[in-house]
């Protein structure tokens, strides 16, 4: 099993996603002799998972059932164990596009955190690219290494435990892109410039506060970066549902029905527009925004090495 290569069958040691519904899923490490508890009952790894195909419908001990899905960076972002605040698909999608990443790209990242963006970057640059990710916190760095190994992508990523603001990324003049998600990104702009290739490399800095953005932009200008711009990505979700609206009485419905010989008691006329007029309502699909919407996540500042 690998997050960048699809496997047909579930094997011992794999990470799989137990799907109970669109709003209910969680990751599980498949191990021989282990059981997983769900609200539908027990899943026995040895008999219910190992050897079965990904996407299989598994019946639990209480008679309910779940689907077992192959892991992807998108599913991992929704289900990973949080060691830090993470980036979600809204920001990740624009980051990979604006950094112009593709298979074979070399990317430097700091900090690694919970690895949400890291998995997406690895999948984007695979199979010939590489991610150099730096994490200041030792335990988080060790946990990231362990997860990358379990997920079959350790050959595509190098995890370093150090302070990027003082020691940099450990590489020079090879990176196609650099991503910064640290409290003081302006202190790492010089190291980012050193890590980027000679010309045309892209940099992105994520910051939750506009004051951080201001200092970062000043540092980018000082180090000669061009095309500096800042984005704020806001996601607004709509719920598509059926809405019923009352039709106004214009005083002609009864007259029109009598003149055309319409018989409302005839079952064949029940689905006609005239029948809707008789009922006084009409139904249609409409998109309605959710009452609670996640707003500001952070600012994304992009620039190019000149």
């Amino acid at each position: 099993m690998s997050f960048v290569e699809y496997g047909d069958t579930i094997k011992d040691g794999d990470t799989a996603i137990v799907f109970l519904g669109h709003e209910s899923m969680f990751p599980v490490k498949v191990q021989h002799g282990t059981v997983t508890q769900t609200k539908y009952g027990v899943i026995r790894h040895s008999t219910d998972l190992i050897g079965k195909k990904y996407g299989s419908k598994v019946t639990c001990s209480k008679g309910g059932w779940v689907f077992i899905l192959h892991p992807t960076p998108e599913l991992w972002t929704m289900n990973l164990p949080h060691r830090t605040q993470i980036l979600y698909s809204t920001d990740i999608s624009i980051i990979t596009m604006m950094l112009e990443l593709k298979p074979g790209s070399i990317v430097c990242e700091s900090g690694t955190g919970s690895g949400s963006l890291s998995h997406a970057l690895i999948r984007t640059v695979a199979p010939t690219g590489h991610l150099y990710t730096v994490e200041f916190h030792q335990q988080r760095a060790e946990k990231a290494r362990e997860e990358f190994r379990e997920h079959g992508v350790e050959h595509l990523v190098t995890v370093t435990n150090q302070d990027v603001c003082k020691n940099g990324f450990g590489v020079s003049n090879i990176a196609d892109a650099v991503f910064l998600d640290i409290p003081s990104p302006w202190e790492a702009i010089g190291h980012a410039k050193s890590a980027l290739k000679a010309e045309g490399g892209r940099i992105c800095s994520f910051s939750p506060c506009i004051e951080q953005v201001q200092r970062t932009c000043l540092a980018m200008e000082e180090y000669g970066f061009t095309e500096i711009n800042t984005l704020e990505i806001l996601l607004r979700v709509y719920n598509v549902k059926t809405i019923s609206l009352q039709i106004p009485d214009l005083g002609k419905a009864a007259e029109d029905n009598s003149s055309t010989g319409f018989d409302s008691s005839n079952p064949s006329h029940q689905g006609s527009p005239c029948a809707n007029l008789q009922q006084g309502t009409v139904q249609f699909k409409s998109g309605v925004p959710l009452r609670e919407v996640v707003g500001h996540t952070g600012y994304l500042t992009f620039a190019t090495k000149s």
Side-chain angles (χ1 to χ4, degrees):
M1 184 278 302
S2 171
F3 272 58
V4 296
E5 296 177 359
Y6 183 78
D8 287 332
T9 59
I10 305 171
K11 299 180 178 63
D12 189 14
D14 281 3
T15 297
I17 305 297
V18 180
F19 181 89
L20 293 81
H22 288 288
E23 301 297 328
S24 179
M25 60 184 98
F26 60 89
V28 62
K29 183 175 180 179
V30 179
Q31 292 179 311
H32 185 79
T34 302
V35 298
T36 296
Q37 295 283 349
T38 74
K39 62 181 180 181
Y40 300 125
V42 172
I43 300 174
R44 296 175 175 83
H45 293 200
S46 301
T47 57
D48 297 333
L49 299 183
I50 297 177
K52 300 292 180 64
K53 287 191 174 183
Y54 279 106
S56 296
K57 182 178 179 180
V58 174
T59 302
C60 304
S61 61
K62 293 182 181 179
W65 49 267
V66 299
F67 287 107
I68 307 300
L69 305 181
H70 192 283
T72 65
E74 292 81 7
L75 289 174
W76 187 245
T77 290
M78 298 170 61
N79 296 281
L80 59 78
H82 285 230
R83 299 184 288 273
T84 59
Q85 181 59 263
I86 68 169
L87 292 179
Y88 290 93
S89 300
T90 305
D91 291 311
I92 291 173
S93 59
I94 198 71
I95 290 169
T96 55
M97 185 189 76
M98 294 293 289
L99 289 182
E100 302 173 3
L101 302 182
K102 59 186 182 299
S105 295
I106 305 297
V107 185
C108 293
E109 175 197 27
S110 182
T112 312
S114 301
S116 173
L117 176 65
S118 304
H119 283 79
L121 294 177
I122 291 170
R123 198 263 307 274
T124 302
V125 304
T128 56
H130 200 84
L131 172 66
Y132 294 89
T133 183
V134 178
E135 173 55 51
F136 175 80
H137 193 276
Q138 182 179 357
Q139 291 181 333
R140 288 201 292 263
E142 293 174 353
K143 186 60 178 178
R145 288 194 193 97
E146 179 184 343
E147 286 180 348
F148 292 142
R149 184 171 56 254
E150 291 178 351
H151 298 166
V153 296
E154 70 275 11
H155 62 292
L156 296 170
V157 57
T158 299
V159 181
T160 305
N161 173 219
Q162 64 187 28
D163 185 352
V164 70
C165 297
K166 295 180 179 179
N167 306 114
F169 293 94
V171 297
S172 299
N173 302 320
I174 64 170
D176 297 289
V178 169
F179 176 79
L180 299 174
D181 183 5
I182 55 178
S184 53
W186 55 89
E187 296 181 0
I189 298 300
H191 293 297
K193 182 178 181 179
S194 299
L196 287 169
K197 59 187 181 181
E199 185 177 359
R202 296 279 287 166
I203 184 173
C204 174
S205 173
F206 176 90
S207 297
C209 302
I210 196 63
E211 292 80 8
Q212 294 170 304
V213 174
Q214 292 170 335
R215 296 189 64 176
T216 302
C217 289
L218 289 174
M220 288 179 175
E221 288 184 349
E222 180 182 346
Y223 281 95
F225 283 89
T226 60
E227 299 177 342
I228 302 173
N229 63 87
T230 299
L231 309 177
E232 182 183 20
I233 312 302
L234 301 177
L235 177 66
R236 190 176 188 186
V237 179
Y238 280 78
N239 181 22
V240 179
K241 61 181 181 180
T242 302
I243 293 181
S244 297
L245 289 181
Q246 186 174 3
I247 298 176
D249 183 5
L250 303 179
K252 294 184 178 181
E255 179 182 343
D256 292 345
N257 291 343
S258 62
S259 63
T260 57
F262 176 79
D263 182 6
S264 61
S265 63
N266 189 338
S268 64
H269 292 160
Q270 295 301 313
S272 66
C274 293
N276 286 335
L277 291 174
Q278 289 294 101
Q279 295 169 1
T281 61
V282 63
Q283 293 184 336
F284 60 94
K285 292 289 185 181
S286 177
V288 180
L290 302 181
R291 292 185 177 181
E292 295 183 0
V293 179
V294 177
H296 173 77
T297 58
Y299 300 102
L300 295 170
T301 301
F302 295 91
T304 303
K305 182 178 179 180
S306 176

